[in-house]
Amino acid sequence: MDYVTPDLCDAYPELIEVVEPIFNNLGGRMSFGGEVVTIKCFEDNSLVKEEVEKDGTGKVLVVDAGGSFRCAMLGDMLAEKAMRKGWEGIIMYGCIRDVDIINELDLGVQALGTHPKKSEKRGVGEYQIPVSFGGVTFVPGDYVYADNNGIIASPEPLTMPE
């Protein structure tokens, strides 16, 4: 499904929260949306690796990577796994790498930027907790929608207006 965040904002002003415009749309899908699954980790993408190996049908992985610009928290191999497992997209409050390959995948990806260095693997992080960045708190089980206009969050699923 194609989502247009301005149309969703107009149709559901009482439900949506808009994330500050700090993200770049870097994946192959220009728009994506789904149920929020959260991870909080800093410069360690071990939990991201574990999560993208699970069925992600109808879900968006929202990763609070602390806004780090010191390493990438997602690369082509994990993005390919996420795509194969049905994830709608990944929102990375941090950096990604292998952006030319990720841009070709049928996966939505929004991130702060790119970085060539991979993250550490220490198994550190938290799963399915509320995470906050860009002026919005993302709660597991809520919904998120993203396109080239930005990212919005909602406590319930939204449908595109006619």
Side-chain angles (χ1 to χ4, degrees), residues 26-134:
L26 301 169
R29 284 189 187 172
M30 289 299 98
S31 71
F32 61 95
E35 182 180 348
V36 171
V37 174
T38 67
I39 291 175
K40 184 176 178 120
C41 51
F42 185 73
E43 298 180 0
D44 178 346
N45 73 349
S46 301
L47 289 182
V48 175
K49 181 178 188 290
E50 289 177 19
E51 194 59 30
V52 299
E53 293 174 351
K54 299 176 185 174
D55 179 23
T57 304
K59 297 177 183 174
V60 174
L61 184 58
V62 178
V63 182
D64 180 352
S68 174
F69 282 98
R70 300 191 308 189
C71 68
M73 296 291 288
L74 178 75
D76 61 339
M77 291 171 38
L78 295 185
E80 285 177 20
K81 280 184 185 176
M83 181 189 73
R84 284 195 309 273
K85 290 292 191 172
W87 288 89
E88 301 298 323
I90 298 172
I91 296 172
M92 181 64 66
Y93 184 56
C95 292
I96 69 167
R97 67 185 198 165
D98 305 314
V99 68
D100 294 330
I101 296 169
I102 290 173
N103 189 45
E104 297 297 318
L105 299 177
D106 185 21
L107 179 72
V109 178
Q110 295 240 359
L112 296 179
T114 61
H115 197 290
K117 181 183 170 196
K118 69 180 178 179
S119 76
E120 299 291 324
K121 306 277 189 292
R122 299 181 309 272
V124 178
E126 297 175 89
Y127 173 70
Q128 288 293 72
I129 63 165
V131 297
S132 298
F133 53 81

Side-chain angles (χ1 to χ4, degrees), residues 7-30:
D7 291 349
L8 291 172
C9 286
D10 293 350
Y12 303 98
E14 70 288 349
L15 286 178
I16 60 101
E17 289 185 85
V18 179
V19 178
E20 295 167 357
I22 55 178
F23 285 86
N24 298 298
N25 200 356
L26 301 169
R29 284 189 187 172
M30 289 299 98

